[in-house]
Amino acid sequence: MTLREERGFGQASLSTVRGPIWRITPLPWTDSRLPLAVTGRKNPPTEQPTVLIEEMDPCHLAPVMRSTGHHLRQFTLTGVEIEHIAQADARSAHGFPGAS
């Protein structure tokens, strides 16, 4: 899932016809001291650096299949090294999915 798809939640996009979508995001840890504006409200803080990988319903970009109410697959990777990079730097380094 690209950043634009996640920010355009609820709008029609290619994701509705593409099939399974995976959201890969770093979760803030309690010692990171990053402000809420950087970590986001939907990313709960953890005790150690963690990466969350979750399957999303392609029509609603949610981790629950809306038609059945079934929770989709979710995995966590702990003990990983996470470095915060500004969006402008990531964009110039082609670090976003779908960027060319």
Side-chain angles (χ1 to χ4, degrees), residues 6 11 20 22 31 39-40 43 45 48 61 85 90 95:
E6 188 169 12
Q11 299 174 357
W22 293 89
D31 292 340
T39 61
N43 301 322
Q48 59 183 328
L61 296 180
I85 298 174

Side-chain angles (χ1 to χ4, degrees), residues 37-50:
V38 173
T39 61
R41 282 186 163 75
K42 67 176 115 178
N43 301 322
T46 58
E47 294 297 318
Q48 59 183 328
T50 304

Side-chain angles (χ1 to χ4, degrees), residues 22-96:
W22 293 89
R23 178 177 182 252
I24 303 170
T25 187
L27 298 179
W29 62 101
T30 51
D31 292 340
S32 67
R33 295 174 179 55
L34 291 173
L36 184 62
V38 173
T39 61
R41 282 186 163 75
K42 67 176 115 178
N43 301 322
T46 58
E47 294 297 318
Q48 59 183 328
T50 304
V51 172
L52 173 65
I53 304 166
E54 58 186 343
E55 187 177 16
M56 307 293 275
D57 177 346
C59 294
H60 308 288
L61 296 180
V64 176
M65 186 62 70
R66 186 177 280 186
S67 60
T68 63
H70 182 265
H71 286 273
L72 299 172
R73 295 174 283 182
Q74 185 178 72
F75 308 95
T76 56
L77 302 174
T78 57
V80 296
E81 189 173 322
I82 297 174
E83 179 182 351
H84 182 263
I85 298 174
Q87 283 191 22
D89 295 336
R91 189 173 291 110
S92 66
H94 304 289
F96 291 126

